[in-house]
Amino acid sequence: MDRWIGKVAIVTGASSGIGATAVKALANAGMIVIGLARRAERIQELKQDVSPEVANRIHAHRCDVTSEQSVVDAFAAVDRQFGGVDVLLNNAGVSKLTCTLLTPGNGADLRTVMDTNVMGLVLCSREAFQSMKRRSVDGHIVNINSILGHKYVAFPNLNIYSASKYAVTAITETLRNDLRNEGTRVKVTSISPGIVRTEMVPEGDQFADTPMLEADDVVGAILYALGTPPHVQVHEVIIKPVGEMV
């Protein structure tokens, strides 16, 4: 991670879970970290969990990745204030467990999932790459995918979530091809965890006996991918808790 000391990372969906853990880990590794989230105040609260020196490297910006203008404005603000972005962690993601694909009136929920998990990722990647290209930076884009982006699992009410993660798998490869065709050495990595103990896991007894990963486990994989030498590109990391049946 030494090559990234003093460099700028943007983390989407940074207010909780994997995103919040990644913000602290990247700042601890010496990066300047801008967390993007609708609940930007929760990113500010992360500073209480780290030393004052590390806290000075953590910054928050309110952003809704389902809005193209919000994404464009956020990346423009990072360019103005910090000079641009070197690492992008596309972590923002949602699921809507209130409906199936066939539930009447489900359009808004389904669009929210696709706009967040797919279009948000694409728009943030576009803006990050343009920043890297302008400055001739060999940056790194990391997409938080899912095991559900590689195989179908009949969990109840997942509706369009699995499809959104399958899209991330395809988009990651498309980005890799586009980056190569652009003549750059920008890397892109997909991290696909099994079930992770975050706010996205429903409360109750449904998952009481289910083996789960912790956010730190996923962030460890992110740091591994980022820490590889410039000539090494980690394409895909699949992480599952021991005992998971999926």
Side-chain angles (χ1 to χ4, degrees):
M1 288 293 292
D2 288 352
R3 67 185 287 236
W4 300 116
I5 292 175
K7 302 299 184 180
V8 176
I10 288 179
V11 178
T12 69
S15 61
S16 64
I18 296 169
T21 302
V23 166
K24 292 184 287 186
L26 294 173
N28 270 310
M31 297 195 74
I32 300 164
V33 186
I34 299 90
L36 303 185
R38 288 174 298 175
R39 300 174 295 182
E41 66 282 355
R42 294 186 62 172
I43 301 169
Q44 294 289 359
E45 293 170 3
L46 299 177
K47 297 183 178 186
Q48 302 171 14
D49 301 331
V50 296
S51 70
E53 178 187 0
V54 174
N56 287 335
R57 293 196 286 269
I58 295 176
H59 307 271
H61 190 93
R62 195 174 306 279
C63 177
D64 179 356
V65 299
T66 68
S67 163
E68 182 171 5
Q69 192 60 56
S70 182
V71 169
V72 170
D73 291 346
F75 278 80
V78 171
D79 276 359
R80 290 192 303 270
Q81 188 171 354
F82 302 100
V85 58
D86 303 290
V87 169
L88 169 65
L89 176 59
N90 277 314
N91 169 73
V94 297
S95 61
K96 294 289 187 179
L97 303 179
T98 55
C99 62
T100 72
L101 290 178
L102 305 178
T103 301
N106 61 5
D109 281 347
L110 300 186
R111 278 191 291 271
T112 295
V113 173
M114 295 301 289
D115 286 347
T116 304
N117 299 3
V118 179
M119 284 306 300
L121 180 146
V122 171
L123 294 172
C124 288
S125 298
R126 182 193 72 190
E127 294 304 302
F129 172 69
Q130 292 303 320
S131 176
M132 295 170 189
K133 182 179 180 181
R134 283 194 297 270
R135 295 149 46 238
S136 299
V137 166
D138 295 337
H140 201 144
I141 298 170
V142 180
N143 296 330
I144 299 301
N145 196 345
S146 169
I147 192 68
L148 297 177
H150 302 273
K151 63 183 297 184
Y152 174 74
V153 179
F155 286 147
N157 289 18
L158 275 180
N159 48 72
I160 210 164
Y161 180 81
S162 293
S164 76
K165 291 303 186 178
Y166 265 87
V168 171
T169 300
I171 288 166
T172 300
E173 294 305 320
T174 304
L175 281 172
R176 187 171 291 116
N177 188 62
D178 286 351
L179 292 167
R180 183 173 58 249
N181 290 340
E182 287 275 353
T184 76
R185 293 176 63 83
V186 176
K187 301 181 189 181
V188 59
T189 299
S190 169
I191 308 287
S192 296
I195 191 166
V196 184
R197 200 183 315 276
T198 68
E199 292 181 3
M200 286 184 66
V201 177
E203 296 181 357
D205 297 331
Q206 180 181 358
F207 295 100
D209 299 320
T210 302
M212 291 191 192
L213 297 168
E214 302 294 339
D216 282 328
D217 303 322
V218 182
V219 172
I222 295 167
L223 295 178
Y224 162 71
L226 290 175
T228 54
H231 70 285
V232 175
Q233 179 168 235
V234 178
H235 281 222
E236 177 73 48
V237 179
I238 293 178
I239 319 167
K240 295 166 67 175
V242 173
E244 182 179 276
M245 296 181 65
V246 175

